[in-house]
């Protein structure tokens, strides 16, 4: 072997007697075969074996098996984003002439996908009030292939009666897909509640460090899994080995991170209740929140993401309040170690918000910082919003916890 060849052909892997607690990271575009017959039959390996890096490596398959186990599903598939997981689920279940029902509280970019991609393909999209529960039945016609649920909903956090929706959807021959990004299977298990597809953005809690984008779809049915895999292959959706490794690493600490965020969010909510500038807290654990009783019935707890509606406030004061924050960062996405805050305007895209009081909506994601430090940061925030006479030290207010 000459030098150029030696640069290319590395020594054989001698890892046979090496074991560690970190899974190996397999990078691949090309997968090699030991015979032309094996090469020619490589497409038979699409669902389980290995044929090409895009269709799976031991690293991505291991992550898929772990997600399937957490979802209580025989099968799961990872995708390059939560957004692509939603698009994939829709495209695998519906074709021209079919209908998909989507809640008004659905993740905004997914609604845009439905309008900009699915509708031009001839798939009818019907919006529904997320609080309908079983009363969704009259909207399900013979063309309806899929009923989408997202519980709690993005920005406004209405909790949907998923078992009731599953009941009427299945009776009418439609499938149910659940975007379970907020709860993760730890707090709510869509497949155990009858849904056919459980979708997550792994970019949020699962990976947990605000440093990667990935999604997943888990299903019970093998035929549906193969359809999803076929569509994923046709679209060329694949996930890189390093991101798959990082996501698998994130999953190890997910239960601890989620519990910390839950506790922190509940403590902060207790204090925000006393703030004169807060008009409403949109958190499923609040008794007045839409779907609170369903949340108590169906969920094992709450995540650290919630919203508040402020009393009317001048834009300049709002601007100052956001700028004064030191720990909370202004940004989209959530579920990472850093606490985030972002304004949101759900009224721009929704018609079912008569229950929601007027005022600026702000979404919080509680991260892994010390909760007292976060409370001190919010004290600065609300000091900018409240007229001096109304100010209450939020560190001193509310119940201790
Ligand atoms: C963020 C999010 C998505 C999209 O996930 P990406 O991985 O960012 O594409 C989908 N659904 C919900 C509820 C989300 O919060």
């Amino acid at each position: 072997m000459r030098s150029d060849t030696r640069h290319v052909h590395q020594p054989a892997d001698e890892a046979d007697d090496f074991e560690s607690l970190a899974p190996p990271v397999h990078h691949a575009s090309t997968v090699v075969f030991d015979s032309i017959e094996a090469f020619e039959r490589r497409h038979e390996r699409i669902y389980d074996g290995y044929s090409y890096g895009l269709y799976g490596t031991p690293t991505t398959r291991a992550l898929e098996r772990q997600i399937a186990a957490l979802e209580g599903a025989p099968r799961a598939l990872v995708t390059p984003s939560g957004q692509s997981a939603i698009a994939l689920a829709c495209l695998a279940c519906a074709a021209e002439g079919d209908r998909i029902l989507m809640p008004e509280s659905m993740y905004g970019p997914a609604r845009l996908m439905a309008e900009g991609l699915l509708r031009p393909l001839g798939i009818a999209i019907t919006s529904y009030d997320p609080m309908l529960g079983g009363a969704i039945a009259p909207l399900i016609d013979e063309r309806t292939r899929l009923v989408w649920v997202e519980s709690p909903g993005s920005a406004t956090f209405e909790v949907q009666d998923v078992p009731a929706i599953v009941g009427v959807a299945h009776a009418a021959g439609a499938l149910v897909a659940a975007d379970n990004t907020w709860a993760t299977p730890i707090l709510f298990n869509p497949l155990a509640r009858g849904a056919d597809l459980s979708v997550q953005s792994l970019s949020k809690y699962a990976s947990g460090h605000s440093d990667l984008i990935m999604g997943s779809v888990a299903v019970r049915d093998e035929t549906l899994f193969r359809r999803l895999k076929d569509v994923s292959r046709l679209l060329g959706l694949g996930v890189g080995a390093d991101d798959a490794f990082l996501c698998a690493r994130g999953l190890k600490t997910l239960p601890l991170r989620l519990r910390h965020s839950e506790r922190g969010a509940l403590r902060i909510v207790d204090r925000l209740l006393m703030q004169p500038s807060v008009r409403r807290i949109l958190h499923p654990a609040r008794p007045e929140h839409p779907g609170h009783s369903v949340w108590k019935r169906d969920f094992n707890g709450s995540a650290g993401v919630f919203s508040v509606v402020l009393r009317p406030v001048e834009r300049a004061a709002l601007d100052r309040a956001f700028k004064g924050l030191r720990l909370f960062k202004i940004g989209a996405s959530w579920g990472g170690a850093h606490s985030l805050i972002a304004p949101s305007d759900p009224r721009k895209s929704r018609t079912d918000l008569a229950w929601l009081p007027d005022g600026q909506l702000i979404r919080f994601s509680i991260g892994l910082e010390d909760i007292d430090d976060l409370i001190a940061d919010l004290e600065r925030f609300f000091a900018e919003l409240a007229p001096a006479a109304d100010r209450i030290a939020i560190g001193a207010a509310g119940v201790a916890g």
Side-chain angles (χ1 to χ4, degrees):
M1 236 190 263
R2 294 179 172 81
S3 174
D4 283 10
T5 311
R6 246 187 241 293
H7 277 86
V8 175
H9 290 254
Q10 290 161 349
D13 186 354
E14 287 180 358
D16 279 355
D17 60 349
F18 173 78
E19 252 183 82
S20 87
L21 297 173
V25 182
H26 293 275
H27 291 93
S29 51
T30 301
V31 170
V32 296
F33 300 85
D34 57 11
S35 70
I36 52 169
E37 203 216 331
F39 179 72
E40 283 163 358
R41 297 181 58 168
R42 67 192 181 282
H43 300 300
E44 295 169 12
R45 299 163 159 226
I46 184 83
Y47 305 115
D48 289 298
Y50 304 106
S51 58
Y52 183 54
L54 180 62
Y55 310 142
T57 62
T59 308
T60 59
R61 289 278 160 85
L63 176 60
E64 289 174 340
R65 282 197 303 278
Q66 190 178 9
I67 288 169
L70 296 173
E71 299 263 15
R75 290 291 207 171
L77 188 73
V78 291
T79 65
S81 63
Q83 176 80 354
S84 60
I86 297 169
L88 174 65
C90 292
L91 290 169
C93 293
E96 184 179 6
D98 295 338
R99 180 186 309 283
I100 301 179
L101 302 186
M102 294 182 167
E104 290 220 3
S105 51
M106 188 168 170
Y107 177 64
R111 296 297 306 266
L112 297 177
M113 181 278 298
E115 295 300 328
L117 177 68
L118 302 179
R119 216 190 270 284
L121 291 174
I123 299 170
I125 306 295
T126 302
S127 287
Y128 70 91
D129 179 339
M131 296 314 293
L132 280 182
I136 197 178
L139 298 179
I140 306 176
D141 61 11
E142 67 286 350
R143 297 169 63 190
T144 306
R145 290 282 89 79
L146 186 64
V147 178
W148 198 272
V149 297
E150 182 186 323
S151 179
S154 280
T156 41
F157 299 93
E158 299 96 319
V159 181
Q160 298 195 257
D161 191 340
V162 174
I165 291 172
V166 165
V168 296
H170 284 177
L175 298 175
V176 175
D179 183 335
N180 197 39
T181 301
W182 184 86
T184 81
I186 293 173
L187 302 180
F188 180 75
N189 189 312
L191 300 181
R193 300 290 174 155
D196 303 281
L197 303 92
S198 175
V199 174
Q200 286 186 75
S201 164
L202 303 176
S203 323
K204 311 288 171 57
Y205 278 122
S207 61
H209 295 76
S210 312
D211 53 7
L212 66 88
I213 300 283
M214 203 182 294
S216 64
V217 187
V219 291
R220 277 187 305 261
D221 182 74
E222 178 67 17
T223 307
L224 182 53
F225 168 75
R226 291 185 172 219
R227 172 75 186 145
L228 286 161
K229 187 72 188 171
D230 289 342
V231 176
S232 164
R233 173 172 57 102
L234 294 169
L235 289 170
L237 305 183
V239 162
D242 292 321
D243 281 352
F245 170 84
L246 285 174
C247 184
R249 183 156 81 167
L251 285 174
K252 292 182 186 179
T253 54
L254 171 59
L256 299 175
R257 291 186 283 105
L258 198 54
R259 254 173 254 142
H260 177 89
S261 297
E262 170 180 39
R263 267 198 311 273
L266 292 174
R267 270 189 63 198
I268 287 171
V269 160
D270 273 346
R271 280 152 172 83
L272 296 187
L273 284 170
M274 317 296 285
Q275 278 302 309
S277 3
V278 171
R279 181 169 247 177
R280 179 75 71 87
I281 294 182
L282 309 180
H283 187 301
R286 293 297 312 153
E288 69 280 6
H289 192 65
H292 170 72
S293 56
V294 170
W295 171 76
K296 261 174 96 167
R297 184 192 70 191
D298 290 351
F299 285 63
N300 301 318
S302 54
V305 186
F306 63 93
S307 296
V308 304
V309 179
L310 299 179
R311 290 191 188 284
V313 59
E314 280 177 18
R315 176 79 189 188
L318 199 61
D319 205 37
R320 275 198 309 277
F322 273 90
K323 284 204 175 107
L325 288 164
R326 294 178 204 160
L327 298 178
F328 280 89
K329 302 292 176 196
I330 304 169
S333 196
W334 43 265
H338 292 76
S339 291
L340 298 177
I341 183 168
S344 167
D345 188 2
R347 278 202 183 70
K348 274 203 292 213
S349 56
R350 295 182 55 174
T351 58
D352 62 337
L353 291 180
W355 61 274
L356 188 71
D358 278 338
Q360 176 66 52
L361 189 143
I362 294 178
R363 190 180 69 182
F364 292 89
S365 169
I366 306 308
L368 303 183
E369 301 93 338
D370 186 285
I371 304 305
D372 289 323
D373 286 341
L374 294 177
I375 288 172
D377 209 27
L378 291 178
E379 191 153 355
R380 283 188 285 274
F381 183 83
F382 284 101
E384 291 291 355
L385 297 181
D390 287 352
R391 279 182 202 165
I392 293 178
I394 70 166
V399 296

